[in-house]
Amino acid sequence: MKRDKFLQVYILATLTVIFWGASFAGAKVALEQADPLLVMFLRFVLSLALLLPVAWYCGELRLPTLMQKLVKDFMGFIRYFFHIGIQTVAMRSSGSATANWQMAAAPAMTALFASFFLKERLSRGGVFGIILAFLGVAVVLGLGTKGARGISSYNFGDFLISLSVLNWAAFMVLTRWLFKENRYPPVFTIFWEIFFAVLMCLPALALTGTDVSVLTGFSWRTWEALAILGFLCSGLAYVFWYYAAANIPVARLMVFQFLQPLVGIVVAYFVIGERFTLWLLLGGAMIVSGVWTVNRPHR
């Protein structure tokens, strides 16, 4: 990979985890006035509003073939309807810091899946980097925040986040396989996956009797949270991530997610009011060092 493209991929991957780091806090804000299913539906609709012109500009706005439709249906379910759905429900009882800590375990699970299914290997330096970054995440979320909940507080929302970690790891391996040979253009893929996820939301809204009229009473704070979730966390973030997934190995890409808890805590500090200590700086340094170690060239 050329140096310029290498830098571009890494910048996009970093922006992605920044957006995702803010997503849990954004979801908790939106849930103050809306049901989880309605939040998810509006998030997807806003994402489509952004992706429609982007797909047209990239020349990827076209109807899928029958086989592509089946793939998009499946991926739209596991990545959007199911994955984001259980995360949104989880935010009713799980804390933002707890969720980010658990998602930090996704790279290790993904590396395991990738080594088994894709035959990808990590160098000794890469293994050390993952361990160092994981320890950094533990320091940030174990000692870096005040009032953080312990293992004894594990609840149903935390269980749903644990389930989403496994789902995300499986999805990333599938993504790498789909895009490694450019089988599916990224924007084309994201647009139709979210489109089918929206279609899945419609009967779910009807069956659960969700009151959609409450959106007329949303505050600006709620709409801002939904805009961040839709335009950044689900729209641009996945365009960036899919592009990166097509250019670097899954295990290496997933290490960027170690930055997510750090971003999540900073956002939670200003949005939700969570507090942190100087341990956050040490943990953050460990995370950055671990990411650098994994991603630097090894002989």
Side-chain angles (χ1 to χ4, degrees):
M1 184 186 301
K2 295 182 178 179
R3 183 177 180 83
D4 290 345
K5 187 173 183 180
F6 180 88
L7 180 61
Q8 181 185 53
V9 169
Y10 278 45
I11 289 176
L12 294 181
T14 301
L15 287 175
T16 299
V17 296
I18 289 175
F19 296 155
W20 285 341
S23 66
F24 290 122
K28 292 186 77 71
V29 170
L31 287 170
E32 293 175 0
Q33 290 191 295
D35 181 86
L37 187 56
L38 181 58
V39 170
M40 182 172 65
F41 173 72
L42 293 174
R43 175 177 180 171
F44 292 159
V45 170
L46 291 174
S47 298
L48 285 180
L50 172 70
L51 292 171
L52 182 63
V54 172
W56 176 81
Y57 178 79
C58 295
E60 298 180 19
L61 185 62
R62 62 179 183 274
L63 293 175
T65 63
L66 178 59
M67 180 57 67
Q68 289 173 337
K69 179 183 179 299
L70 294 175
V71 172
K72 299 298 174 287
D73 281 339
F74 176 70
M75 298 293 279
F77 174 78
I78 65 171
R79 178 60 195 101
Y80 295 97
F81 185 79
F82 179 72
H83 186 74
I84 293 181
I86 60 177
Q87 286 189 340
T88 304
V89 173
M91 284 301 97
R92 277 185 158 178
S93 56
S94 181
S96 177
T98 303
N100 276 293
W101 183 88
Q102 291 198 73
M103 289 307 298
M109 187 60 64
T110 302
L112 180 62
F113 285 1
S115 64
F116 184 78
F117 293 107
L118 303 181
K119 309 303 179 183
E120 294 183 0
R121 294 183 178 180
L122 287 171
S123 65
R124 292 182 179 179
V127 173
F128 172 77
I130 287 179
I131 294 174
L132 179 62
F134 183 78
L135 290 175
V137 170
V139 171
V140 166
L141 295 169
L143 300 173
T145 62
K146 292 182 179 179
R149 299 179 304 160
I151 297 177
S152 61
S153 65
Y154 194 87
N155 56 42
F156 182 65
D158 297 326
F159 165 75
L160 291 179
I161 295 297
S162 299
L163 184 60
S164 75
V165 171
L166 297 175
N167 184 71
W168 173 248
F171 171 80
M172 279 308 303
V173 171
L174 285 173
T175 297
R176 178 63 175 170
W177 178 78
L178 286 172
F179 300 129
K180 188 173 184 179
E181 303 299 333
N182 295 317
R183 293 179 177 88
Y184 300 104
V187 180
F188 167 81
T189 296
I190 300 165
F191 177 84
W192 285 108
E193 285 178 359
I194 295 181
F195 176 83
F196 290 124
V198 169
L199 295 184
M200 295 174 196
C201 286
L202 293 176
L205 286 169
L207 291 173
T208 58
T210 301
D211 184 9
V212 298
S213 65
V214 298
L215 62 86
T216 59
F218 284 176
S219 65
W220 279 108
R221 174 181 166 88
T222 299
W223 281 116
E224 288 171 357
L226 287 170
I228 292 174
L229 291 172
F231 295 141
L232 300 183
C233 301
S234 292
L236 288 179
Y238 286 110
V239 174
F240 295 166
W241 192 257
Y242 276 26
Y243 178 79
N247 289 280
I248 58 178
V250 171
R252 181 170 294 185
L253 176 63
M254 288 299 292
V255 174
F256 278 91
Q257 280 205 282
F258 284 122
L259 295 172
Q260 181 176 330
L262 180 61
V263 175
I265 288 178
V266 172
V267 173
Y269 176 87
F270 292 102
V271 178
I272 301 176
E274 293 181 359
R275 296 294 181 264
F276 56 84
T277 69
L278 291 178
W279 284 101
L280 179 71
L281 300 179
L282 174 61
M286 293 171 66
I287 293 171
V288 173
S289 298
V291 171
W292 178 81
T293 301
V294 171
N295 288 283
R296 72 183 179 89
H298 295 283
R299 296 181 180 179

